[in-house]
Amino acid sequence: MTKESELVTKLTKKHYTISAAESCTGGLLAAAIVNVSGASRVFERSYVTYADLAKEDLVKVSRATLSRFGAVSSQTAEEMALGCAKAAGADVGLSTTGIAGPEGGTPDKPVGLVYIGCAVRGRVETECHIFQGNRLSIRNQAVEAALDLAIHCLENKE
């Protein structure tokens, strides 16, 4: 069973819905979830919030958070997860924000740095990863890690 199939199965059994807010993955996470037959029962909607303004407007990341911590931060990932769940009226919000490269990295925030957030009925967990590889590889690794985090958070909610 794929990770996305496992996630859809867990959501279906719990009668939970999910929404995603994606930055660096740019829709790949939503695509992975909707690739599963039956995802329409649990997948509410997705927000591709690549620009800071989109993060503010669509999933209500605060301007103060973006100014203080930046778009690539655990704080932003947390607000994205909470915000997309609230905006969609979903039980679960899953977020990704990071630097897929090959440009854009700094010594403090290198290429491959990705923060993932998962909110399950208001309780949020975030993870920080530094992935290796090219742009697409980093984005795909972020999707896999996001699915893992969502599965983990749902198991802890049982």
Side-chain angles (χ1 to χ4, degrees):
M1 177 182 285
T2 64
K3 288 178 188 176
E4 52 267 38
S5 294
E6 183 179 354
L7 176 60
V8 168
T9 298
K10 285 187 180 302
L11 289 163
T12 301
K13 285 181 181 176
K14 289 181 169 294
H15 304 285
Y16 281 9
T17 55
I18 190 169
S19 178
E22 302 181 65
S23 187
C24 64
T25 51
L28 287 178
L29 179 56
I33 295 169
V34 301
N35 200 37
V36 177
S37 179
S40 61
R41 291 188 298 269
V42 298
F43 189 72
E44 284 293 318
R45 65 190 80 175
S46 180
Y47 305 90
V48 176
T49 58
Y50 207 66
D52 286 0
L53 185 57
K55 290 173 182 66
E56 289 180 52
D57 286 349
L58 297 174
V59 295
K60 307 306 178 202
V61 175
S62 75
R63 182 169 288 154
T65 296
L66 291 166
S67 294
R68 183 170 179 200
F69 303 105
V72 180
S73 65
S74 62
Q75 294 86 353
T76 296
E78 180 176 324
E79 289 186 27
M80 288 171 69
L82 287 166
C84 74
K86 183 175 181 181
D91 299 291
V92 179
L94 193 55
S95 68
T96 61
T97 185
I99 304 168
E103 299 170 357
T106 67
D108 289 340
K109 294 185 178 184
V111 168
L113 176 65
V114 176
Y115 289 93
I116 299 166
C118 183
V120 178
R121 294 192 165 179
R123 188 174 143 259
V124 187
E125 285 190 41
T126 60
E127 291 182 347
C128 175
H129 298 270
I130 300 181
F131 299 118
Q132 302 296 315
N134 64 27
R135 183 176 182 83
L136 183 56
S137 175
I138 289 168
R139 293 173 67 219
N140 283 326
Q141 290 172 75
V143 168
E144 290 295 306
L147 294 168
D148 280 338
L149 180 59
I151 291 165
H152 165 79
C153 288
L154 287 169
E155 288 170 348
N156 284 347
K157 191 72 178 166
E158 292 175 351

